[in-house]
Amino acid sequence: MDDPAAPGSGNPPANGYGNGNGNGGGKGKPAAPKGRETFRSQRRESEGSVDCPTLEFEYGDTDGHAAELSELYSYTEHPEFTTNRRCFEEDFKTQVQGKEWLELEEDAQKAYVMGLLDRLEVVSRERRLKVARAVLYLAQGTFGECDSEVDVLHWSRYNCFLLYQMGTFSAFLELLHMEIDNSQACSSALRKPAISIADSTELRVLLSVMYLMVENIRLERETDSYGWRTARETFRTELSFSMHNEEPFALLLFSMVTKFCSGLAPHFPIKKVLLLLWKVVMFTLGGFEQLQALKVQKREELGLPPLAEDSIQVVKSMRAASPPSYTLDLGESQLAPPPSKLRGRRGSRRQLLTKQDSLDIYNERDLFKTEEPATEEEEESAGDGERTLDGELDLLEQDPLVPPPPSQAPLSAERVAFPKGLPWTPKVRQKDIEHFLEMSRNKFIGFTLGQDTDTLVGLPRPIHESVKTLKQHKYISIADVQIKNEEELEKCPMSLGEEVVPETPCEILYQGMLYSLPQYMIALLKILLAAAPTSKAKTDSINILADVLPEEMPITVLQSMKLGIDVNRHKEIIVKSISALLLLLLKHFKLNHIYQFEYVSQHLVFANCIPLILKFFNQNILSYITAKNSISVLDYPCCTIQDLPELTTESLEAGDNNQFCWRNLFSCINLLRLLNKLTKWKHSRTMMLVVFKSAPILKRALKVKQAMLQLYVLKLLKIQTKYLGRQWRKSNMKTMSAIYQKVRHRMNDDWAYGNAVRTKILHVDACENMSLLEDVRCFTQKGRAA
C-alpha cells in the first residue's frame, strides 16, 4: 500500500516521505547560522506587516448557488458553452418548428427530452456526444433565451428537475460506465506525452450534466412544488442505496478517484469527479445542519440528556481576536539578544509591546504584564519544523483509543469561578471523575474503589464539593454509549445475540467502502498533496491539470496570465472539495458508530494526513485566504449572458472585489477541523504535532481574524501546550489567554501547567511508540501483500 509523499515533495516515493534532497529525513545536523539568517529573512518577507481586518465570513455547507455552479467549469472550457448551444439549436430545429424551448408547454418539453434520450442510444460517438451536449445546454439553463443571470439559474433548476423526471440521470449513468471502461481512451491518454482538455471531452460533458442535476435538485427552497419535493427524496434514495443490484453512486466515483491516482486513467477530469463526489455525499448523508439534527435525535433515542449548545451556532456568535504582534513573535523576537542584554533597552521593548493588540475580548485585567523574547530553542524550531515536515514522516501509531494523560485535581468548589463571558459549557467525562477520585482516595485513604464514583466516605469536605461540581458538568457522548454496548456484546455474545444494524445511507456507504478504504484515503490525500500550494513540482507527480490545460499552450503574456489564474483556481477548488468531503465522512461515520470513525481516522494517519495538513499551513495563510484567482466575467452564469469584453492585464490582476476568497477560507477551516478530529484524545497523535514543530505554524494562522478559524487553531495549540515547555508558555501569554477565553474547559485538565518532567517522559515514550508502530505497520503491509 503506497502512502502519499511528504507534504511538499510532489508525488510519493514508494517507501513514504522524502525530503527532496537525498536525505532520509532523520535528525541531521543543525542548520548553519547563515542558513538560519536566510530563513528568518524569508519568513519576515513572507509574513509582512499588513494587519488583517476582521473577515465577515459565514461558515456553511457550501458557498452560494451560483458560485458552486461556476466552480464546475474551468476558464479553458469557456468556448464549449457556444458549442453546447449550437448542438442544441441544430437538434431542436429538426424536431420543433417555429418555437423556442421556453415557449413550449411542459408536455412538449417532456416529449422533446424523450427524443433526446432515444437519440443517445446510437453507436456513433460523435452523434452521441452532440446529443449529450444538447442535454448539457438544457441543464445549463438554455442561456441563449435568457436575459439575466437570475433567469439562467431559474431555468437551469427547472430543466434539471424535468431531465430527472424523464430518466436522464440513469441514461447518463450508463454512458458514464461505458466511458470509465473505455480502454481505448485510457491507452491513448497513456501514450500521449501531454494530456489536455480534449482527452476528456465525453467524460466532462457527462459529469457536468450529472453535477448540475445533483446540485440543482439538492438545493431546497420554500417555493418548491410538491412534485419537486417528492422528486428530491426519490433522487436521494436512488443515490443512497444500491439500485438494480448496482453499487451506490458514490462508490463508482471513489473507484474513479483510485483509478486516476493509480495512473491507469490519467485523462479523468478529477476536479469534476471530486466535486460530484462531495455533493453526492452531502446530498445522501446530509450537511452540517442535518448532522446536528441527527445527533439530537440519536441522543434522544439513547436516553441521553439534550445538548447544551450547537457548536456551529456558538462559533458564529464569537468574534475574532486580534492576533499577537507577529513582527515581535516571529521575526524580531527570534533575533533578539538574551534578556541580560535588554536591560538598557526597556524603552524600545515597551514600544514594541504597545503595538500588540489585546486578545482579552472581555476587557479583564491582564495578569501577565511581560512578554519574554523567544529563546534560541524556539528560534531553531521553525526551521527544524520545516525540515522535519520535508523529511521522512512515517511516524505512525496503531491504537487509536489511547486514553489522555492523567490530569491533576481541580481546585475546590469555592475557588472555581468562570467568567460570565465564556462561550462554552464545561464538560467532564466519566473517566475524569474516576481518575480524580482514584487520586483523592490514594492520598487520603490509601486504597481505591475502582469505578465507584458515589462512595465518598473518608474524603474531606472540599473533595465532596469538587465531585459534586464535576458531576454537574458530566457529559456522556454517543460514542461512550456505543463503546459500552460493544464491550457488553464481547462479554456476553451468546446471551445478547447479534446486534441489529439499521440500514442507513451512512452504514451502506461504509460497508461499500470498507474493503478498499485504505486505497480511497490514500488517493484523496495524494490529490490533496498535488493541489497544495506548498507542494514542489516533481516529474513523477500526479497530473491534476488534465481538465484545465488547453490543446495549444498560450503564446502571449495575457493568455499565460489567464491560464495561471485558471490553474490556481483549479487547485483551490480541488482542495476545497477534498477537505469538505473528508470532514463530512468523518463526522457521519463518528455519529453512525465510533469504531467506523476510528478506522477511517487510523488510515488517514497511516497515509500521513497530519504532516500533510501541517505542510499546507506552512505558508502565508493570510495571502492564501485573500488570493484572487478568479475572472468574474468568465464565471458562469455571467459569461453566458454578457458579451465577453476584451481581457487586459489590469482586468486579470484585479480579480473580484471580495475581501477574501470564500473557498480558500472554507478549505482552511475544514482542514483544521479535520486535524482536530484526528488528534483529539489521542496522545501519540498529539505528540506528532509536537515532533513536527506545529506550534509556530499554527500560531501564524492566528493572523487571520476569523473567529472559527482561530478557534480550531487554538484547540490544536491547547492540546500540545503542556509539551512545549515553560518558556514557550511564558513567551506566548496572549495566546494562552485566547485559549482560556475561546476554547471549551475541561475542569481537571492541566493543559496550561503540565509537569515538565512527566511530559518529557511522555514525549520520549511517544517517539518510541511511533517507531514500534512503524514496524507493526510494515508487518501488516507485508501480510496484506502476501
Side-chain angles (χ1 to χ4, degrees):
M1 181 176 62
D2 295 335
D3 288 349
S9 63
N11 195 43
N15 61 348
Y17 285 120
N19 57 12
N21 58 6
N23 296 330
K27 292 184 179 179
K29 297 180 180 179
K34 182 178 179 181
R36 190 181 301 151
E37 291 296 332
T38 304
F39 173 78
R40 293 178 199 155
S41 62
Q42 290 174 349
R43 178 59 51 83
R44 287 197 300 271
E45 290 171 2
S46 66
E47 291 298 329
S49 58
V50 181
D51 292 331
C52 173
T54 301
L55 303 181
E56 299 297 330
F57 171 82
E58 184 172 351
Y59 186 81
D61 291 326
T62 60
D63 200 353
H65 184 53
E68 292 295 333
L69 294 181
S70 69
E71 289 179 352
L72 175 65
Y73 311 102
S74 63
Y75 296 145
T76 312
E77 293 179 271
H78 182 264
E80 295 189 8
F81 284 106
T82 306
T83 306
N84 299 338
R85 178 179 178 179
R86 186 181 67 251
C87 291
F88 171 80
E89 291 176 348
E90 290 175 357
D91 185 89
F92 191 74
K93 288 178 182 178
T94 62
Q95 306 295 324
V96 181
Q97 302 295 330
K99 286 189 176 182
E100 293 185 342
W101 171 259
L102 300 185
E103 297 174 352
L104 295 179
E105 298 292 335
E106 184 177 353
D107 292 339
Q109 291 177 340
K110 290 182 177 180
Y112 176 72
V113 171
M114 285 296 295
L116 277 178
L117 296 181
D118 291 337
R119 290 187 288 278
L120 269 179
E121 299 178 0
V122 293
V123 177
S124 173
R125 287 174 60 86
E126 292 184 2
R127 292 174 57 189
R128 196 164 61 232
L129 178 60
K130 286 184 178 181
V131 176
R133 285 192 178 278
V135 176
L136 177 57
Y137 176 74
L138 285 175
Q140 289 171 341
T142 53
F143 48 82
E145 304 175 27
C146 298
D147 299 325
S148 65
E149 297 178 20
V150 176
D151 290 342
V152 174
L153 295 177
H154 168 77
W155 286 108
S156 173
R157 196 158 180 264
Y158 171 85
N159 291 342
C160 284
F161 272 100
L162 181 67
L163 290 172
Y164 170 71
Q165 291 169 350
M166 302 310 297
T168 306
F169 192 88
S170 300
F172 270 66
L173 183 58
E174 294 180 5
L175 294 177
L176 182 61
H177 277 286
M178 290 173 54
E179 289 299 328
I180 293 173
D181 297 334
N182 187 354
S183 58
Q184 183 179 357
C186 294
S187 58
S188 174
L190 288 170
R191 287 194 301 267
K192 288 188 175 182
I195 302 175
S196 68
I197 197 172
D199 297 303
S200 59
T201 302
E202 290 83 359
L203 277 170
R204 285 187 293 105
V205 171
L206 297 177
L207 290 170
S208 295
V209 172
M210 301 173 93
Y211 178 86
L212 288 171
M213 293 180 67
V214 170
E215 180 63 14
N216 279 305
I217 296 176
R218 182 189 67 83
L219 181 65
E220 297 184 13
R221 288 182 177 164
E222 295 180 356
T223 56
D224 290 346
S225 64
Y226 175 77
W228 282 15
R229 296 176 190 272
T230 305
R232 179 182 300 114
E233 295 306 317
T234 306
F235 192 29
R236 179 185 284 116
T237 304
E238 288 182 4
L239 295 177
S240 303
F241 300 96
S242 301
M243 306 296 291
H244 309 296
N245 296 323
E246 294 183 356
E247 60 187 4
F249 183 52
L251 291 181
L252 176 64
L253 298 176
F254 268 117
S255 67
M256 291 185 70
V257 173
T258 54
K259 191 173 182 181
F260 172 81
C261 287
S262 65
L264 298 176
H267 65 296
F268 280 2
I270 196 61
K271 185 191 78 172
K272 286 180 167 56
V273 175
L274 290 170
L275 281 173
L276 181 56
L277 176 58
W278 167 38
K279 294 303 174 63
V280 167
V281 170
M282 185 190 305
F283 183 35
T284 55
L285 303 188
F288 297 125
E289 291 185 2
Q290 289 88 343
L291 259 170
Q292 185 68 16
L294 287 172
K295 191 174 182 179
V296 171
Q297 178 184 347
K298 198 154 192 175
R299 289 186 66 86
E300 185 177 348
E301 292 173 355
L302 295 174
L304 298 175
L307 294 169
E309 68 260 321
D310 182 353
S311 300
I312 300 295
Q313 297 302 321
V314 173
V315 174
K316 286 181 179 179
S317 64
M318 297 171 65
R319 69 183 183 93
S322 299
S325 174
Y326 281 77
T327 305
L328 173 65
D329 289 350
L330 298 179
E332 295 175 11
S333 70
Q334 293 181 350
L335 300 176
S340 60
K341 297 183 181 180
L342 285 175
R343 292 173 182 170
R345 298 170 53 189
R346 291 185 178 178
S348 60
R349 184 165 177 270
R350 187 177 295 112
Q351 291 175 359
L352 283 173
L353 288 174
T354 55
K355 296 178 183 178
Q356 183 167 347
D357 293 330
S358 174
L359 276 168
D360 191 351
I361 61 175
Y362 303 106
N363 296 321
E364 296 174 350
R365 183 172 63 87
D366 191 359
L367 301 178
F368 310 101
K369 292 292 185 183
T370 60
E371 292 278 342
E372 295 293 334
T375 61
E376 186 70 17
E377 180 183 352
E378 275 196 341
E379 176 186 305
E380 297 177 0
S381 66
D384 291 341
E386 192 161 337
R387 289 191 295 273
T388 305
L389 285 171
D390 286 332
E392 193 167 2
L393 300 180
D394 285 331
L395 299 176
L396 311 172
E397 47 92 24
Q398 181 72 20
D399 187 4
L401 298 175
V402 179
S407 53
Q408 298 181 1
L411 301 175
S412 60
E414 292 88 357
R415 299 178 62 186
V416 176
F418 297 104
K420 285 184 178 179
L422 289 177
W424 304 100
T425 303
K427 286 182 179 179
V428 178
R429 298 179 301 168
Q430 175 69 19
K431 62 176 63 178
D432 295 333
I433 302 176
E434 294 172 2
H435 179 68
F436 171 66
L437 280 172
E438 181 182 358
M439 293 175 55
S440 301
R441 287 165 179 158
N442 279 329
K443 180 177 180 181
F444 294 103
I445 305 176
F447 62 90
T448 62
L449 298 177
Q451 297 181 346
D452 183 3
T453 58
D454 297 324
T455 304
L456 303 178
V457 177
L459 297 176
R461 183 65 183 172
I463 300 297
H464 288 231
E465 296 175 355
S466 297
V467 173
K468 179 182 178 181
T469 304
L470 290 173
K471 287 184 176 180
Q472 286 175 349
H473 295 88
K474 180 181 175 181
Y475 174 76
I476 303 175
S477 65
I478 296 174
D480 294 335
V481 177
Q482 292 171 344
I483 293 173
K484 186 177 180 181
N485 292 339
E486 290 294 327
E487 291 174 349
E488 291 177 354
L489 282 171
E490 288 183 1
K491 291 178 182 178
C492 310
M494 302 301 293
S495 59
L496 293 178
E498 187 177 354
E499 182 182 7
V500 178
V501 180
E503 291 290 318
T504 62
C506 185
E507 182 68 29
I508 292 174
L509 178 62
Y510 180 79
Q511 290 177 5
M513 292 177 61
L514 183 59
Y515 180 75
S516 302
L517 188 63
Q519 287 78 13
Y520 294 153
M521 296 301 106
I522 290 173
L524 290 175
L525 293 184
K526 279 184 177 180
I527 300 172
L528 180 61
L529 173 65
T534 52
S535 294
K536 301 171 185 176
K538 290 284 186 78
T539 55
D540 58 345
S541 61
I542 298 175
N543 180 17
I544 60 172
L545 304 178
D547 51 336
V548 71
L549 295 179
E551 288 186 85
E552 299 179 359
M553 295 307 291
I555 56 177
T556 65
V557 176
L558 192 63
Q559 292 175 346
S560 299
M561 289 181 61
K562 176 185 172 184
L563 182 59
I565 292 174
D566 203 5
V567 167
N568 291 335
R569 174 177 176 267
H570 181 81
K571 292 182 177 180
E572 291 172 358
I573 295 170
I574 288 178
V575 173
K576 169 188 173 182
S577 56
I578 292 179
S579 62
L581 172 64
L582 288 175
L583 181 62
L584 267 181
L585 288 175
L586 282 182
K587 290 185 73 68
H588 275 286
F589 287 153
K590 185 176 183 180
L591 184 61
N592 194 51
H593 200 288
I594 184 62
Y595 288 167
Q596 295 178 357
F597 164 80
E598 296 293 353
Y599 186 65
V600 177
S601 300
Q602 190 178 45
H603 282 291
L604 285 173
V605 174
F606 282 177
N608 290 324
C609 183
I610 291 177
L612 195 156
I613 295 177
L614 292 178
K615 185 64 179 179
F616 180 90
F617 279 93
N618 195 20
Q619 60 169 315
N620 190 340
I621 286 295
L622 185 57
S623 297
Y624 181 73
I625 286 174
T626 56
K628 296 184 177 180
N629 291 310
S630 62
I631 308 173
S632 56
V633 293
L634 295 181
D635 285 335
Y636 174 87
C638 176
C639 64
T640 62
I641 296 298
Q642 303 176 2
D643 294 332
L644 181 63
E646 183 179 355
L647 295 178
T648 62
T649 305
E650 291 75 15
S651 63
L652 292 180
E653 291 178 344
D656 53 32
N657 297 322
N658 295 330
Q659 186 185 22
F660 57 91
C661 179
W662 194 96
R663 65 173 166 267
N664 288 357
L665 184 50
F666 178 73
S667 301
C668 290
I669 292 176
N670 287 340
L671 290 173
L672 288 170
R673 296 184 72 184
L674 184 61
L675 196 54
N676 270 283
K677 288 283 182 190
L678 296 179
T679 55
K680 187 176 182 181
W681 304 120
K682 305 291 187 299
H683 172 68
S684 53
R685 297 179 192 174
T686 302
M687 296 313 302
M688 290 177 73
L689 296 179
V690 179
V691 170
F692 296 150
K693 313 289 185 184
S694 66
I697 296 173
L698 293 171
K699 191 181 173 188
R700 286 200 303 274
L702 290 174
K703 193 172 184 180
V704 180
K705 292 183 68 176
Q706 205 285 322
M708 194 168 190
L709 184 140
Q710 288 184 345
L711 172 67
Y712 289 105
V713 170
L714 293 172
K715 281 187 174 185
L716 290 167
L717 287 172
K718 176 184 176 181
I719 62 177
Q720 56 179 313
T721 298
K722 66 177 78 173
Y723 310 111
L724 296 177
R726 180 176 177 273
Q727 184 60 45
W728 188 92
R729 297 194 291 271
K730 191 176 180 182
S731 303
N732 293 274
M733 277 303 171
K734 296 296 182 184
T735 304
M736 299 287 286
S737 177
I739 293 173
Y740 175 82
Q741 293 162 354
K742 291 181 175 295
V743 182
R744 189 190 304 274
H745 287 276
R746 301 280 175 171
M747 288 188 173
N748 49 353
D749 186 8
D750 59 346
W751 67 273
Y753 48 91
N755 183 278
V757 177
R758 183 166 60 85
T759 54
K760 184 176 181 180
I761 295 173
L762 289 172
H763 187 181
V764 174
D765 290 344
C767 293
E768 292 176 352
N769 288 337
M770 289 176 184
S771 176
L772 176 62
L773 289 165
E774 169 61 13
D775 297 337
V776 173
R777 180 186 174 219
C778 293
F779 176 79
T780 307
Q781 288 182 352
K782 292 178 181 177
R784 186 181 295 115

